[in-house]
Amino acid sequence: MGREPSTPGAPWFARGIAPVWDRLAAPGGDAPLFRRSDLDGLPAPVARWLARAVEPGTPLARTALLEMSGRILVGGWRRFTARQVISAGRGYVWAATAWFGSLPVFGFDRYSDGTGEMRWRLAGALPVVSASGDDIARSAAGRLAAELVLTPGAALAPFVRWEAVDDTWAGARVEIGGRIHTLRVEVDAEGTLRSVRLPRWGDPDGRGFAEHTFFSLCSGERRFGGFRLPARVTAGWDTGDRGAPGDAEPFIDIEVTSAAFR
């Protein structure tokens, strides 16, 4: 079983958005308890996933506080550690420290109140990335939709509409910020989540913002309280040059090390 985060608040280098973090992390009140009957009528892959991912009687919390580590591709693979708050359908803050040799880069990505932002500084002082605006917000909203799999309690929320595809794949229409994001999730015969794909707004090839296929490959499982999450998530863009998602180039490889739900 995994552990809970040691510190629930925003890290020191993201103190400028601590109010956003605290607002997203605030408990949302009493959540309904998960029942097996909640799976009635869902597409078969979704029913298998949730039957495995959520223990009966678990409150269907939509907010997660996560700690993670891994590698991110920025001119080469860089190790990082991160803390994240996700409030499904509302927003997230991902605050991380990445290492360029012996030099740390501190910063955060966020989506909240319909706006997106990226702020990163070398050694906490020299600006490296500063971005906001409509394109960043739209891309960040797509990321929030994809990260539904890290808050399985939200899979039954009213802003998610599931659609049958076949016995392995299911579709979801996820409403965020007035826009519908269309996901496809892949679930194996045992109910383990294997991958997520969606058209997401972004500029992965440097040719300007447009919709590209974004993918997350999931492996392993780790239990946190009444939930099972993917132990490892490898994500990236498939711009059509590399074929299937397994052949597309990822840019981040994450291991979820702790989680708590509210």
Side-chain angles (χ1 to χ4, degrees), residues 1-4 52-59 222-229 258-261:
M1 180 185 293
R3 61 179 180 83
E4 292 194 358
R52 184 177 181 89
V54 189
E55 292 289 333
T58 299
R222 192 163 287 158
R223 187 159 65 88
F224 302 97
F227 294 102
R228 290 179 189 264
L229 299 186
S258 70
F261 296 89

Side-chain angles (χ1 to χ4, degrees), residues 163-253:
E163 302 172 344
V165 176
D166 57 30
D167 196 51
T168 300
W169 291 87
R173 295 170 57 83
V174 182
E175 183 176 358
I176 296 173
R179 188 183 298 274
I180 300 297
H181 301 265
T182 56
L183 280 66
R184 283 202 173 192
V185 299
E186 179 188 14
V187 182
D188 69 15
E190 287 72 41
T192 302
L193 188 69
R194 291 304 182 193
S195 68
V196 181
R197 289 172 62 87
L198 76 155
R200 180 184 168 193
W201 196 249
D203 184 17
D205 54 10
R207 301 174 186 172
F209 279 85
E211 276 196 343
H212 299 278
T213 298
F214 182 80
F215 67 90
S216 299
L217 306 178
C218 306
S219 59
E221 290 180 322
R222 192 163 287 158
R223 187 159 65 88
F224 302 97
F227 294 102
R228 290 179 189 264
L229 299 186
R232 183 181 179 188
V233 179
T234 303
W237 298 92
D238 183 351
T239 59
D241 299 330
R242 296 175 178 268
D247 297 326
E249 184 175 5
F251 68 84
I252 193 166
D253 188 5

